Amino acid sequence: MKRVAVVMGSDSDLQTVKPAIVTLKKLNIPCEVRIISAHRTPEEAAAFSKGARENGFGAIIAAAGKAAHLAGALAANTTLPVIGIPIKSSTLDGLDALLSTVQMPSGMPVATVAIDGAQNAALLAAQMLAIEDEALAQALREMRTEMTRKVIEKDRKLQNEIDQMVEA
Ligand code: RP5
């Protein structure tokens, strides 16, 4: 199976990025987690994305906050799909990172998830790999079925609580 790279701009992003790592692990997708900065380590960023395809990656997740150019900088050097996670790490509540990540020029796409949307970034990467991997597609279907079951269960619980409220 292809690997997924999870790259973050700073160790201060790790807490927010954790759900992506956990989700990939739950789906048994091999991943490599790195701290690489578009601004502080630009040469490492270029080298990493230039070599990503031949190093067995199928998708790159890039998480960064503030003037978040990491996803775009990685996308500039690879034709692998790059998924950007804008991180809320400044006084602007992540809107700065969202706009920096999502507003890519034509010809250089970055698939941007919600601010701090780490789990969806991992699921999107998994769905990309699952195009050619039926076992992974099945694992994703099962994950959704479980999510649906939990929501239905919560709804049932709510109905019971409302009934008790009315009776009290
Ligand atoms: C970005 O700047 C990082 O992705 C992080 O979200 C933000 C702050 O980084 P630190 O100053 O905490 O290292 O490059």
Side-chain angles (χ1 to χ4, degrees), residues 9-10 12-13 40 64-66 89:
S10 168
S12 64
D13 299 322
R40 292 166 174 160
K66 296 186 175 172
S89 65

Side-chain angles (χ1 to χ4, degrees), residues 8-13 36-40 63-70 87-90:
M8 66 200 90
S10 168
D11 59 342
S12 64
D13 299 322
I36 303 174
S37 167
H39 304 122
R40 292 166 174 160
K66 296 186 175 172
H69 298 133
L70 180 60
I87 300 284
K88 177 178 164 177
S89 65
S90 80

Side-chain angles (χ1 to χ4, degrees), residues 47-111:
F48 182 84
S49 56
K50 276 179 190 166
R53 186 182 290 275
E54 69 189 34
N55 286 326
F57 292 104
I60 298 174
I61 293 171
K66 296 186 175 172
H69 298 133
L70 180 60
L74 295 176
N77 284 302
T78 182
T79 53
L80 290 176
V82 176
I83 301 164
I85 310 173
I87 300 284
K88 177 178 164 177
S89 65
S90 80
T91 48
L92 295 179
D93 274 349
L95 188 58
D96 45 357
L98 173 64
L99 297 179
S100 302
T101 305
V102 79
Q103 289 287 57
M104 289 295 291
S106 296
M108 206 53 71
V110 165

Side-chain angles (χ1 to χ4, degrees), residues 138-155:
Q138 180 58 24
L140 283 164
R141 281 192 286 272
E142 285 166 14
M143 206 175 241
R144 282 201 184 182
T145 302
E146 180 59 12
M147 182 178 62
T148 302
R149 191 193 63 73
K150 280 184 182 161
V151 174
I152 290 170
E153 178 56 32
K154 281 179 189 170
D155 180 57

